[in-house]
Amino acid sequence: MSYVNMEAILGDARKNHYAVGAFNIVNYLTAKAAVEAAEELGQPIIIQTSVKTVKAFGIKEMMSFLKPIADHATVNVAIHLDHSTDVEFTKACIDGGWSSVMYDGSQLTLEENIKNTKEIVTYAKNKKVTVEGELGAIVGVEDDIVVIAGNSAHARPEDCHIYLKETGIDAFAPAVGTAHGVYTGEINIDYDLFEEINQFSSCPLVLHGGTGLTDEMFHKLIALGASKVNISTAIKIAYCQGMVTYTKMNPDQNDPLKLDAFTKEGLKKVVKQHIQFFSLRD
């Protein structure tokens, strides 16, 4: 097992009708917890970093602690850059050691999105880095990308055909009604659209906005072709609330290592629950 790109992970997932969890981590503790959870289950994992998180640490500094975690793992681990809207920053992360990147040009015109994505795909291929792309507008907040409900838009099949053919991406995230963050209203997913896109897509499909979906929704979307499911908000909640819970339980305790250990176990539990659910085979 080793540090790999997403092609090595998602190809099998698509072929065998299961999904791999992609978890947005924010520091060493969350990354280590996620990978340990995957190791204990013997399942591959994708750990994701938002642009905001990478900029907070620095590209070199962040990879200096992420890469060793992946290198020493007993399962396949991909390190993925999530929702980058900046072509040059995406390239910098490719140079910095990320094994996979997502370029999000969904707020651009189709032509501009294709142009920028093609540029990144060409750059990434030479370094054996995989690229994820997106079409349509997924409602909610992800990093500094904000899409209000009225501005969300499902991906159009005709655009998807063109985008996939022109860009040659390795994974595709079409907007079909899921949302980033915590769902506050009724969830309306266009399952027919997702199925249609999967039938002609040349690469595995990605489901964004996984936190908060019901078991039935997950089951249906994975059955229809979702090979990668992004989980971000659930990790943030487990991390922050784990610390809050420990502090309330131990108001006079000031041992950071005990606080970290408690929080880490809570994170591992959340990651394991998702991995086990996503990896159910038909």
Side-chain angles (χ1 to χ4, degrees), residues 20-25 29-41 43-47 229 231-232 234-236 238-239 263-279:
V20 176
F23 301 90
N24 283 62
I25 56 86
L29 178 64
T30 50
K32 186 65 173 173
V35 173
E36 282 188 9
E39 289 179 305
E40 291 174 14
L41 294 174
Q43 298 282 354
I45 189 171
I46 299 165
I47 53 176
V229 180
I231 300 295
S232 176
I235 298 300
K236 295 173 184 175
Y239 180 62
T263 304
K264 184 180 178 183
E265 288 307 307
L267 283 161
K268 286 172 66 174
K269 182 179 179 181
V270 170
V271 173
K272 280 185 176 181
Q273 288 173 339
H274 284 91
I275 290 176
Q276 289 173 314
F277 189 82
F278 298 156
S279 64

Side-chain angles (χ1 to χ4, degrees), residues 192-210:
D192 291 337
L193 174 61
F194 195 80
E195 181 178 24
E196 179 182 356
I197 294 171
N198 184 60
Q199 287 176 346
F200 65 72
S201 176
S202 55
C203 61
L205 296 192
V206 179
L207 178 64
H208 284 237

Side-chain angles (χ1 to χ4, degrees), residues 113-172:
N113 191 357
I114 289 173
K115 176 180 176 294
N116 291 351
T117 305
K118 283 178 66 175
E119 182 178 342
I120 290 169
V121 169
T122 300
Y123 193 82
K125 292 291 184 186
N126 294 328
K127 300 176 183 293
K128 296 183 180 180
V129 172
T130 43
V131 179
E132 177 185 331
E134 179 178 325
L135 275 188
I138 299 173
V139 69
V141 180
E142 181 68 23
D143 210 0
D144 291 323
I145 304 170
V146 181
V147 178
I148 61 175
N151 291 336
S152 62
H154 291 184
R156 301 195 309 167
E158 56 269 35
D159 291 342
C160 294
H161 272 289
I162 298 170
Y163 179 80
L164 288 165
K165 180 180 179 180
E166 293 291 325
T167 62
I169 54 174
D170 304 287
F172 182 41

Side-chain angles (χ1 to χ4, degrees), residues 208-222:
H208 284 237
T211 299
L213 296 183
T214 65
D215 289 358
E216 181 183 2
M217 291 173 178
F218 274 131
H219 273 306
K220 193 165 185 177
L221 287 164
I222 292 172

